[in-house]
Amino acid sequence: MFSVGFQTLFYKETLRFWKVATQTVAAPILTAMLYLLIFGHVLEGKLEVYPGVSYTAFLIPGLVMMSVLQNAFANASSSLIQSKITGNLVFILLPPLSHWEIISAYVLASVVRGLVVGAGVFVITAWFAHLSFVAPLWIIVFAVLGAAILGTMGVIAGIWAEKFDQLAMFQNFLIMPATFLAGVFYSIHSLPPFWLAVSHFNPFFYMIDGFRHGFFGQSDISPWTSLAVVSAFFVVLSVIAVNLLRRGYNLRH
């Protein structure tokens, strides 16, 4: 079913981040822990987003999903830009791998890294609040789909960028703001009408809101609506990534 080339590329991408796990896994877990300690300490007991759910409990799924998304993006994008700059990308483009196999290997490795970091964040932060698992299937679906989407975005960014500062611009001006403004630290219904409307155009919001629904059975919108939006977004990004790779955009000079 999967070619040897696909398996080799997937193994290489997984091994790449695991070899430096202190940087790629431990550091994001520490960052999420700091967010929890700061925001949880300041707002615990002062804010209740959902009835019967403490703010710390509300915050934990958001931090877990934020970690999953950001690290899935970082895995594919950093790998591609490093390969382009060092000149070894040719060894990935020359073998008889289809465009779908190349992208799938990068995205699947990104999903693995995102889920590993997310699981680590959850294990560390779950001690600070009581969490329920009302609908665990929703948790799995949105975690995997969200990581796949950001992995695909990482592929697109890695293809587009020609140097590290361009990649940093993509991450700092798109991924980071979209993640922070997606309801990680708050419910969008606490926003003024204008920003409430704007939030509905942010696909990251649907990933985080659907993921959080799996824990509490409560969310800002229906998880089915979130699933439809997220799935459509994934399909669009996948088509874009494959077309860029097929055209050799910024890959063949």
Side-chain angles (χ1 to χ4, degrees):
M1 181 178 180
F2 299 108
S3 69
V4 174
F6 167 83
Q7 296 176 44
T8 303
L9 182 56
F10 168 67
Y11 175 74
K12 173 252 185 188
E13 288 301 305
T14 305
L15 188 63
R16 189 187 69 88
F17 83 79
W18 193 250
K19 282 283 189 179
V20 287
T22 302
Q23 174 188 347
T24 57
V25 178
I29 293 175
L30 177 60
T31 300
M33 184 68 179
L34 292 174
Y35 279 128
L36 179 67
L37 292 176
I38 294 171
F39 284 93
H41 175 72
V42 172
L43 297 176
E44 181 65 31
K46 300 178 182 178
L47 180 64
E48 185 180 70
V49 182
Y50 298 146
V53 178
S54 68
Y55 179 75
T56 300
F58 169 85
L59 180 59
I60 289 174
L63 292 176
V64 171
M65 193 58 168
M66 181 180 74
S67 301
V68 170
L69 300 180
Q70 291 181 349
N71 284 276
F73 174 82
N75 199 71
S77 60
S78 63
S79 179
L80 277 168
I81 194 67
Q82 286 173 5
S83 294
K84 290 170 71 174
I85 291 175
T86 57
N88 62 29
L89 186 62
V90 63
F91 298 113
I92 296 174
L93 298 178
L94 281 179
L97 287 170
S98 70
H99 301 112
W100 281 109
E101 284 181 311
I102 294 174
I103 290 177
S104 297
Y106 277 104
V107 171
L108 187 57
S110 298
V111 170
V112 172
R113 175 174 168 182
L115 295 181
V116 167
V117 174
V121 171
F122 176 78
V123 169
I124 297 299
T125 57
W127 294 93
F128 292 85
H130 173 70
L131 293 173
S132 56
F133 299 91
V134 176
L137 185 59
W138 284 121
I139 296 175
I140 297 172
V141 167
F142 279 101
V144 173
L145 195 53
I149 287 174
L150 268 293
T152 307
M153 291 185 72
V155 170
I156 294 173
I159 293 175
W160 170 80
E162 295 182 341
K163 45 189 176 180
F164 280 106
D165 60 341
Q166 290 180 329
L167 185 61
M169 181 180 69
F170 196 101
Q171 186 159 8
N172 293 332
F173 291 95
L174 178 60
I175 303 300
M176 190 72 72
T179 305
F180 274 83
L181 298 176
V184 172
F185 303 98
Y186 57 86
S187 167
I188 65 167
H189 289 299
S190 63
L191 299 174
F194 173 78
W195 292 109
L196 175 63
V198 169
S199 295
H200 285 89
F201 290 93
N202 182 0
F204 287 61
F205 156 69
Y206 297 95
M207 303 177 208
I208 294 174
D209 194 60
F211 181 76
R212 186 176 276 131
H213 177 87
F215 286 91
F216 309 118
Q218 303 179 64
S219 54
D220 290 328
I221 61 172
S222 167
W224 290 105
T225 301
S226 295
L227 181 61
V229 172
V230 170
S231 299
F233 190 53
F234 178 55
V235 170
V236 171
L237 288 177
S238 299
V239 171
I240 293 174
V242 170
N243 284 334
L244 288 175
L245 188 60
R246 181 180 292 117
R247 290 166 49 197
Y249 179 82
N250 272 355
L251 297 175
R252 301 168 185 167
H253 299 284

